[in-house]
Amino acid sequence: MKPFIYTAQPSRVIFGNGALAQLSEEINAMGAKKALVLSTPEQRASAQKIADLLGSHAVGIFDRAVMHVPIETAREARAVARQLGADCAVAIGGGSTIGLGKAIAMESGLPILAIPTTYAGSEMTPIFGITEAGIKKTGRDLRVLPRTVIYDPELSQSLPVGLSVTSGINAIAHAAEGLYAVDGNPIMSLMAEEGIAAISRALPQIRQQSDQMAARSDALYGAWLCGTVLGHVGMALHHKLCHTLGGSFNLPHAETHTIVLSHALAYNAKAAPQAMVRIARALQVDSAPQGIYELALHNGAPVALKDIGMREQDLDKACDIALQNQYPNPRPLERSALRQLLQNAFDGAPPQA
Ligand SMILES: NC(=O)c1ccc[n+]([C@@H]2O[C@H](COP(=O)([O-])OP(=O)(O)OC[C@H]3O[C@@H](n4cnc5c(N)ncnc54)[C@H](O)[C@@H]3O)[C@@H](O)[C@H]2O)c1
Ligand SMILES: O=C(O)CCC(=O)CC(=O)O
């Protein structure tokens, strides 16, 4: 076995159907008494439910979370937290809402209790992202790692099927890149393989019947594992491409991950053969890149960047940006191969090694 370093990150996870009932107990355990509840506008009703559960321990609701945490929204939410004297943030929703909680925590150190309702995985990471003047900056800071996470599969039943599939593949992407991470370790690899297996078996069942609790539970369990991998080890080419396409071309987050992943894996396949074996084993297929492509295709997810708002004339620029400030990657980045990768992803072609 190769030498490795593993640093565990402190977060408390409560998992199970009906786990939300433990919310007040968990807020008490954090020593908090004045929670600011965060959500997107679309999930205002869920935020209200959280505030009702907390009773006098909720001091307000901020329901303006949006994707990629614009600095203006972060400033507004920070000001509301200060004015209300909040001593913790409760974020109910996906990566956008949890990201807003992180923006508050970064400045104030307020602890976050996260209640994830998608599979994006932000709740398990010390990664923050803030967008200022059209540029998204990300970084790692343990102050933003949610102190407590309540995973209640019942809350993900309302996640539309399309977003469930793309969000699930977004989670798989964390695990897949974790398997060839430059700072990977055997514990994260175990979690990565188990996470990919749990999500890939859940997605077809969710597509068939979106409120199937066993599948929702499997998917959320997989999201926890994959998010943990994202939080502990560095990501590579796939995440760099998605950050480029999302940050500079405003493409939707989960869909972009879904389309790019098979191509990024094909690019890295020869340089990371052990990772490919483990991804394929988890997916129960022969080829990891093809298996991811088919997981998306057979579950109704988009497979072409041209179908989610990318313009063909921007592919050269995307390639240039992706070559700047490179993330460590098993295979060195070669411009012509990367440009071809982007073309294949744009066209929706099957992945090519
Ligand atoms: N920092 C990190 O570690 C990290 C990790 C992953 C993603 N992210 C960030 O998170 C954002 C994307 O997060 P996301 O993909 O979870 O999407 P999201 O949080 O933007 O949610 C997408 C939409 O789905 C709605 N929604 C969420 N859960 C729902 C449910 N159960 N039922 C009905 N509607 C629901 C939301 O209100 C929103 O309208 C991006 O900005 C991405 O960069 C950060
Ligand atoms: O955009 C961020 O906040 C970082 C997200 C990240 O690295 C995971 C992802 O792209 O899904």
Side-chain angles (χ1 to χ4, degrees):
M1 183 172 295
K2 285 200 312 205
F4 63 89
I5 296 176
Y6 168 62
T7 308
Q9 288 173 3
S11 76
R12 176 174 164 83
V13 170
I14 322 292
F15 189 102
N17 288 340
L20 186 61
Q22 292 173 56
L23 174 62
S24 288
E25 216 174 294
E26 289 302 321
I27 289 287
N28 286 336
M30 279 167 67
K33 292 192 166 34
K34 298 172 99 181
L36 175 63
V37 182
L38 308 174
S39 74
T40 58
E42 298 81 15
Q43 287 180 288
R44 165 81 199 194
S46 303
Q48 187 60 57
K49 182 176 168 194
I50 298 298
D52 293 345
L53 279 173
L54 288 172
S56 62
H57 284 180
V59 288
I61 296 176
F62 183 92
D63 67 358
R64 293 194 286 286
V66 286
M67 204 169 272
H68 302 312
V69 196
I71 185 74
E72 299 76 15
T73 312
R75 287 191 183 124
E76 224 185 308
R78 287 167 179 167
V80 170
R82 271 195 308 273
Q83 280 153 17
L84 295 174
D87 60 5
C88 79
V90 176
I92 176 144
S96 300
T97 305
I98 295 167
L100 181 62
K102 290 176 170 185
I104 298 174
M106 233 166 83
E107 191 200 56
S108 60
L110 279 196
I112 302 169
L113 186 150
I115 308 169
T117 61
T118 71
Y119 308 129
S122 178
E123 66 281 357
M124 292 311 299
T125 83
I127 304 172
F128 60 84
I130 300 243
T131 304
E132 191 164 7
I135 306 286
K136 181 161 178 175
K137 293 194 182 129
T138 60
R140 287 183 184 245
D141 188 329
L142 267 181
R143 276 182 313 172
V144 310
L145 178 71
R147 181 89 56 89
T148 303
V149 181
I150 297 183
Y151 283 110
D152 186 336
E154 285 172 16
L155 303 174
S156 58
Q157 270 183 314
S158 55
L159 190 64
V161 169
L163 186 51
S164 300
V165 173
T166 55
S167 190
I169 298 177
N170 178 196
I172 288 177
H174 309 326
E177 292 226 298
L179 282 164
Y180 52 61
V182 67
D183 55 353
N185 66 66
I187 303 297
M188 286 307 120
S189 295
L190 284 172
M191 293 181 106
E193 197 173 332
E194 173 76 358
I196 296 171
I199 294 181
S200 62
R201 76 176 168 255
L203 294 185
Q205 295 171 35
I206 290 173
R207 180 139 195 262
Q208 258 182 1
Q209 190 192 328
S210 71
D211 61 352
Q212 207 181 120
M213 282 317 299
R216 286 290 183 189
S217 186
D218 263 0
L220 203 57
Y221 166 67
W224 166 49
L225 296 171
C226 295
T228 303
V229 175
L230 172 67
H232 281 77
V233 301
M235 296 291 109
L237 172 65
H238 167 76
H239 280 73
K240 176 69 188 178
L241 287 170
C242 293
H243 294 167
T244 301
L245 294 166
S248 303
F249 302 94
N250 205 25
L251 298 194
H253 181 81
E255 289 88 337
T256 305
H257 271 271
T258 298
I259 294 166
V260 171
L261 184 59
S262 65
H263 303 284
L265 293 183
Y267 186 94
N268 280 331
K270 287 202 180 95
Q274 287 310 316
M276 297 302 142
V277 167
R278 294 187 79 158
I279 298 164
R281 189 164 63 198
L283 294 169
Q284 297 190 315
V285 297
D286 294 333
S287 153
Q290 188 64 25
I292 292 291
Y293 183 76
E294 286 174 9
L295 185 66
L297 197 64
H298 295 163
N299 288 291
V303 293
L305 292 176
K306 67 179 178 199
D307 293 338
I308 62 161
M310 187 67 185
R311 300 183 320 163
E312 191 160 19
Q313 63 263 40
D314 285 335
L315 291 177
D316 284 331
K317 188 171 166 204
C319 190
D320 291 340
I321 299 174
L323 284 164
Q324 291 161 17
N325 305 318
Q326 296 178 14
Y327 300 177
N329 192 58
R331 174 177 164 194
L333 299 195
E334 297 153 25
R335 194 178 196 292
S336 62
L338 202 57
R339 179 63 181 78
Q340 185 60 51
L341 182 169
L342 284 167
Q343 188 68 47
N344 293 342
F346 180 83
D347 294 335
Q352 289 155 24

